[in-house]
Amino acid sequence: MRNGTRSRHALFAAVATGTLVLAGCGTGDDTGSSKELSLGFVNGGDTHFHSCLQEAVQQTAKTEGARVYTANSHQNAGTELSNIEDMISRNVSALIVQTVNVDALKGDIAKAKASGIPIYLTSVATSDVDDILGAAVVDLKKVGAMDAGWVEQDAAGAKVDVGIVAGAPGAASELLVGGFQDALPANAKVVANQPGMFNPAKAQEVAENMIQAHPDLDYAFVANEEMAFAVRKAFDAAGAKDVRIVTVNGTEDGIAAVKAGTISATVANSALTIGQTAVKNTVGLLGDKKVDKIADIPLVLVTKENADDAPQYCPK
């Protein structure tokens, strides 16, 4: 993310649990005061991404000598604000937030700011970065564009039909799909675009209807790997094994699917890297160390050719 005004970003949404949990502890004093360093991590869901992100936050906090409390928000903006209020009552040194929705952040940030507790964001950045401690950002438009670039190269100028299985309505899916559509070549025509709600069962239903309506479909862009596996199942059952699927995440199962050829390409944005970056940079910024306020998370287009070199997705 470059300096200056920053557009809003969002990440994949999902369902979550909503209880506060003491997730790890340490006795480091990276703030330069006598107060023990404590972090509150408010997660937005419990997909594989969210689980890996939380594991990364917990592990890294331990190595950084920080106590960390965790909470999940049930993909509900009201629950997210309540979780933040609970963290504030614990007087944590800083909050790390994987938000449910960027539209919910305004109230969250105002509440924390009024209490003197800085917020570090994962996956997103607000338009006014002066209100936050920092952010580890995933450029979702670029993610979509990278998948579109693979389609362009693979189609090699031929006229092709493309289907899109989006996520849930909201900024995350819109950024992903918008980036994909904007980067498609003129020879690629989007013939269907339906939300899979980041839910494999719903995505399979969407894919079944899509392939029935468009039996000559050549490619499908699916907004995460969990849905992509269900889409692949639906296409194969309909005899459409030749439809090439491009998707997002870079999970262990996703990389295995790329190697097996059931998915043609995926864009890896490591949950491990996001979590590590968030904790290390939060600790550094609290200690007035020279740390980038806004950190870009590396993105890698993974195909059969480079699958063995894909970044690790989840802590071991």
Side-chain angles (χ1 to χ4, degrees):
M1 183 71 61
R2 271 69 59 187
N3 291 332
T5 300
R6 303 175 192 280
S7 62
R8 288 183 173 184
H9 291 270
L11 182 69
F12 314 108
V15 187
T17 60
T19 55
L20 277 170
V21 179
L22 175 60
C25 63
T27 56
D29 181 17
D30 296 86
T31 61
S33 72
S34 59
K35 177 186 173 184
E36 179 186 53
L37 181 64
S38 61
L39 304 175
F41 175 57
V42 178
N43 207 345
D46 65 354
T47 65
H48 186 55
F49 166 79
H50 292 93
S51 298
C52 291
L53 178 62
Q54 183 158 311
E55 288 180 37
V57 167
Q58 291 170 334
Q59 286 189 10
T60 311
K62 186 174 182 179
T63 63
E64 293 291 324
R67 182 181 296 269
V68 59
Y69 298 91
T70 67
N72 276 311
S73 301
H74 293 290
Q75 190 47 41
N76 182 296
T79 303
E80 179 171 290
L81 182 56
S82 177
N83 284 334
I84 286 173
E85 290 171 342
D86 285 338
M87 293 293 184
I88 291 170
S89 72
R90 293 172 182 266
N91 196 29
V92 294
S93 307
L95 278 162
I96 298 174
V97 179
Q98 171 67 34
T99 188
V100 167
N101 189 310
V102 289
D103 293 332
L105 281 175
K106 186 176 181 180
D108 296 345
I109 293 170
K111 179 71 71 171
K113 191 174 182 180
S115 301
I117 295 177
I119 282 187
Y120 189 98
L121 302 176
T122 56
S123 304
V124 306
T126 56
S127 56
D128 187 356
V129 297
D130 290 336
D131 285 338
I132 60 174
L133 180 66
V137 176
V138 177
D139 187 340
L140 294 177
K141 289 197 74 171
K142 184 177 178 181
V143 170
M146 291 170 75
D147 272 333
W150 186 90
V151 171
E152 179 176 16
Q153 184 177 24
D154 190 67
K159 289 187 177 181
V160 294
D161 288 345
V162 180
I164 295 173
V165 181
S173 182
E174 289 165 10
L175 287 164
L176 278 169
V177 172
F180 178 76
Q181 288 181 298
D182 290 347
L184 280 176
N187 55 291
K189 180 182 179 182
V190 175
V191 296
N193 182 352
Q194 295 293 325
M197 304 304 294
F198 293 116
N199 180 297
K202 176 63 176 177
Q204 184 170 338
E205 178 186 340
V206 167
E208 288 168 350
N209 294 333
M210 186 179 293
I211 199 64
Q212 184 175 2
H214 304 282
D216 296 326
L217 196 68
D218 298 294
Y219 298 92
F221 171 72
V222 186
N224 74 8
E225 288 171 359
E226 290 176 274
M227 291 196 299
F229 302 143
V231 171
R232 178 80 277 161
K233 182 178 178 181
F235 287 168
D236 289 354
K241 295 180 182 291
D242 291 337
V243 178
R244 281 143 286 183
I245 294 174
V246 294
T247 186
V248 179
N249 283 151
T251 65
E252 304 84 356
D253 289 344
I255 301 304
V258 169
K259 290 181 179 180
T262 54
I263 290 175
S264 295
T266 189
V267 178
N269 55 306
S270 166
L272 172 62
T273 301
I274 297 171
Q276 289 175 334
T277 302
V279 174
K280 289 179 180 179
N281 286 12
T282 296
V283 171
L285 289 163
L286 287 174
D288 294 324
K289 296 178 182 176
K290 190 174 181 181
V291 176
D292 288 337
K293 184 181 180 77
I294 306 298
D296 278 323
I297 298 302
L299 303 172
V300 180
L301 179 71
V302 180
T303 64
K304 271 189 175 182
E305 288 69 29
N306 68 343
D308 287 334
D309 299 321
Q312 183 180 337
Y313 187 80
C314 197
K316 292 182 179 178

